[in-house]
Amino acid sequence: MEILDTQTDRDSLLQLAAEAIGLLVASDFDALATRFGYALAYGRDRPTAIRDDLAVYLSELNSKTLMLAGDLTQASVSYFKANATGLFAAVECVVPTDKGAEILVSLVVTSKGTEKHLSLEGLCTVA
């Protein structure tokens, strides 16, 4: 999703990440993929790829679902130094499962010229 320069501060990025996590927790994979994309789709249908990848990680953790936390206490925003790849910022949020295990949800901000885009980078288990 394209974001404004005014949405690149920590609080704004965490608010957008909370929106993405809310869609993920609600299993609204269509809305999540439409709004945020999915970098690790690798040519697969994006909503299906998100659903399938989440299912793999939940299964690895013997969990059935993600739990919506009241706030993103385990979240971080990191900014990259100017670079040729266009990476601007990374947002990482730890989301608990129903069994107390955790899944890391990563989003990335890329820039090209004056445009900035926030997208769902990937999911993985937290060791």
Side-chain angles (χ1 to χ4, degrees):
M1 72 180 282
E2 188 168 355
I3 61 173
L4 303 171
D5 283 336
T6 58
Q7 294 175 296
T8 60
D9 62 281
R10 182 182 187 282
D11 290 340
S12 295
L13 290 175
L14 289 177
Q15 187 175 27
L16 290 166
E19 178 185 341
I21 291 168
L23 293 169
L24 186 63
V25 170
S27 299
D28 194 345
F29 305 116
D30 288 326
L32 179 60
T34 298
R35 185 133 167 89
F36 294 93
Y38 187 46
L40 298 181
Y42 298 121
R44 301 175 289 168
D45 174 69
R46 289 180 301 167
T48 303
I50 297 168
R51 182 195 69 217
D52 292 351
D53 289 355
L54 178 60
V56 166
Y57 296 125
L58 287 172
S59 177
E60 286 177 8
L61 297 170
N62 294 316
S63 299
K64 294 186 191 289
T65 187
L66 293 174
M67 303 300 292
L68 188 57
D71 59 2
L72 297 178
T73 55
Q74 293 189 52
S76 67
V77 176
S78 304
Y79 294 93
F80 296 95
K81 292 180 182 178
N83 60 73
T85 63
L87 291 173
F88 181 82
V91 183
E92 296 181 318
C93 305
V94 176
V95 182
T97 70
D98 59 322
K99 299 291 184 177
E102 298 170 325
I103 290 184
L104 178 68
V105 179
S106 300
L107 297 102
V108 67
V109 178
T110 55
S111 64
K112 185 174 183 180
T114 59
E115 292 183 8
K116 290 191 175 55
H117 294 269
L118 175 67
S119 57
L120 176 61
E121 177 72 14
L123 311 168
C124 66
T125 57
V126 176

